[in-house]
Amino acid sequence: MSGNSIKLLGISGSPRKKGTDHMVREALKFAEEKFDVETDYFSAKGKDLKFCIHCDHCVRTKQGCIHKDDMLELYEKMQWADAWIIGTPVYQGTISGQTKVMMDRCRAVVARDPKVFLNKVGAGMADGGDRVGGQEPALQTIHNFYIISEMLPVSGGSFGSNLGGTFWSQDKGAEGIEEDEEGLRSMRKTVRKLIRTAQMVKKASVEDE
């Protein structure tokens, strides 16, 4: 990898290895084919991810979360990456519970270092059993998380990926993702914008040093 390579993290917020897992992995694969990137991946499937209990241990001690579970692995990956893709299945018109837990638990590392995620670039992707089943509200929630974390949220832009990658799985898992040409197009547009933005941010950061 060159010095200009982008470190890209894909996160699947699904408890299953089906549509969302495939969606995020396809995004990482596309990035690897088109750009100079180093990728990593984290899936919620099978992970021990405890709820934030708002005990304020992280705020008082500045030593991370009181829970010692699989979020420790994700924290390392998040800090390593220049850019993130958070993918979620749509549950009740918004993000999955697993995705929400991962977001909530980031409070622990931000409490230790408020600028830990500053200027990292983030994109979102969402898949649902219905064509219009809550994908965009889910993406808005992901973008809100990025903004609160002082990251730079991006989408693929107008005409097809207004807020990010949106898939209609028809409840057919990976097969449904592969059949959704519009979803794949929205993913590709989003990944292109994500990596190009991360490249610009990285270049600006080097020039400021």
Side-chain angles (χ1 to χ4, degrees):
M1 294 291 174
S2 72
N4 295 322
S5 176
I6 296 300
K7 298 173 182 176
L8 175 62
L9 173 63
I11 301 170
S12 169
S14 174
R16 306 192 300 172
K17 190 176 180 180
K18 291 199 173 185
T20 304
D21 171 85
H22 188 74
M23 172 180 71
V24 176
R25 288 185 182 276
E26 282 297 298
L28 295 178
K29 179 181 175 183
F30 178 75
E32 289 169 341
E33 291 171 351
K34 299 296 181 180
F35 298 95
D36 182 9
V37 298
E38 181 180 355
T39 63
D40 203 351
Y41 179 71
F42 183 89
S43 171
K45 182 182 184 297
K47 297 296 196 304
D48 179 17
L49 302 172
K50 295 181 176 66
F51 295 109
C52 173
I53 57 174
H54 209 300
C55 64
D56 280 343
H57 170 85
C58 60
V59 175
R60 291 194 310 272
T61 68
K62 306 292 191 278
Q63 294 181 5
C65 188
I66 196 168
H67 296 312
K68 306 306 177 188
D69 57 9
D70 290 326
M71 279 299 298
L72 296 176
E73 176 189 349
L74 181 56
Y75 291 149
E76 290 186 7
K77 294 176 185 289
M78 286 174 157
Q79 292 175 75
W80 165 84
D82 301 307
W84 305 356
I85 298 169
I86 296 179
T88 183
V90 172
Y91 285 3
Q92 297 297 324
T94 186
I95 61 174
S96 68
Q98 289 79 8
T99 305
K100 185 64 164 62
V101 166
M102 289 188 284
M103 292 177 178
D104 290 346
R105 291 282 303 284
C106 282
R107 183 173 188 259
V109 287
V110 173
R112 184 173 57 201
D113 176 5
K115 303 299 182 183
V116 66
F117 300 141
L118 179 67
N119 292 337
K120 292 182 183 291
V121 185
M125 296 184 185
D127 62 294
D130 295 325
R131 168 57 76 187
V132 183
Q135 287 90 333
E136 291 204 335
L139 292 176
Q140 288 173 322
T141 300
I142 292 171
H143 287 314
N144 287 342
F145 165 74
Y146 288 147
I147 293 167
I148 291 167
S149 302
E150 296 192 67
M151 294 176 62
L152 305 174
V154 301
S155 71
S158 302
F159 305 110
S161 54
N162 297 307
L163 293 177
T166 56
F167 283 86
W168 179 25
S169 71
Q170 303 181 66
D171 289 327
K172 295 195 294 185
E175 180 184 352
I177 298 298
E178 285 295 328
E179 291 176 355
D180 185 7
E181 288 298 331
E182 280 300 308
L184 291 167
R185 188 172 73 88
S186 72
M187 175 272 282
R188 295 180 189 119
K189 287 187 67 177
T190 299
V191 170
R192 287 191 185 98
K193 183 70 173 295
L194 175 70
I195 301 303
R196 288 168 180 160
T197 303
Q199 289 171 335
M200 288 190 291
V201 171
K202 189 168 188 177
K203 181 180 179 181
S205 177
V206 170
E207 291 174 351
D208 286 342
E209 291 177 353

